Amino acid sequence: MDKPIRKAVRCYLIKDNRVVVTKYKQGNKKEGYYEIPGGKIEEGEIPTQTAIREMKEETGITVKNLKYKGIMTVEYPDRKFVFDTFSTSEYEGEPQEFEENSSEWINIKELLQKEKILSNIMILDRFFIKGLIDDNYNFNMYIAVDEQENILDVDYSLEENK
C-alpha cells in the first residue's frame, strides 16, 4: 500500500544560536510540542512563497532572503511528509501568540533537550546542522518515526553547492 505523501515546507529562522519555534497549545493533539514553522504548499504557490506565508501566519514574523537548503522526508507508519527546507537570519517582527500556538526564540541546545519536539527539529543537532547553516552545502534527510514522534531511523547526506 502506498502511503499518502504531503508536500510542505519548513523555515528555520536562526540567529545567534537561537531559532524561532512554535509550540502547540491546549486542545491540539500535539499539545506542548515544539515545531519549526511551516506548512502545506497551497495550489499555485511555489515553496518559497509558502515558507514566507507560513512563517508570518504562525509567528507574526516576516522572513527575508530565504535560502533553499534541501529536502527533509519524515515518514510515519501511515503517511509521509516531504519538506522543502529553507533557512534565513533576516527578518522583521518578533514572535507572537496565536489561538492554536505560541511562538518564541529559543536557544538551539535548550530546544534539543526538550522532551516534546517534533522530528524536523533533529536537523538542528550538531551532527546535522552544517547542511542547514553553511551556505556551501545543501542536505537530504530521511527520518522514520512512530506515531509518538520516536525516531526509528535516520539517513542524512550533504551535497556541496557548485
Side-chain angles (χ1 to χ4, degrees), residues 8 12 29 35 38 45 51 63 89 94 124 129-130 144 146:
Y12 295 78
K29 69 178 184 174
E35 169 79 294
E45 268 185 335
V63 288
S89 61
E94 288 301 323
L124 296 169
I129 198 166
K130 183 174 188 171
D146 64 16

Side-chain angles (χ1 to χ4, degrees), residues 116-155:
K116 291 183 169 185
I117 56 176
L118 294 183
S119 55
N120 58 46
I121 289 173
M122 187 176 192
I123 192 71
L124 296 169
D125 184 275
R126 64 187 174 96
F127 296 109
F128 305 115
I129 198 166
K130 183 174 188 171
L132 191 61
I133 63 173
D134 189 325
D135 288 344
N136 297 313
Y137 293 92
N138 284 354
F139 70 88
N140 192 331
M141 188 170 202
Y142 167 84
I143 307 170
V145 297
D146 64 16
E147 288 300 332
Q148 288 73 44
E149 292 294 326
N150 296 307
I151 294 172
L152 307 173
D153 188 29
V154 176
D155 187 32

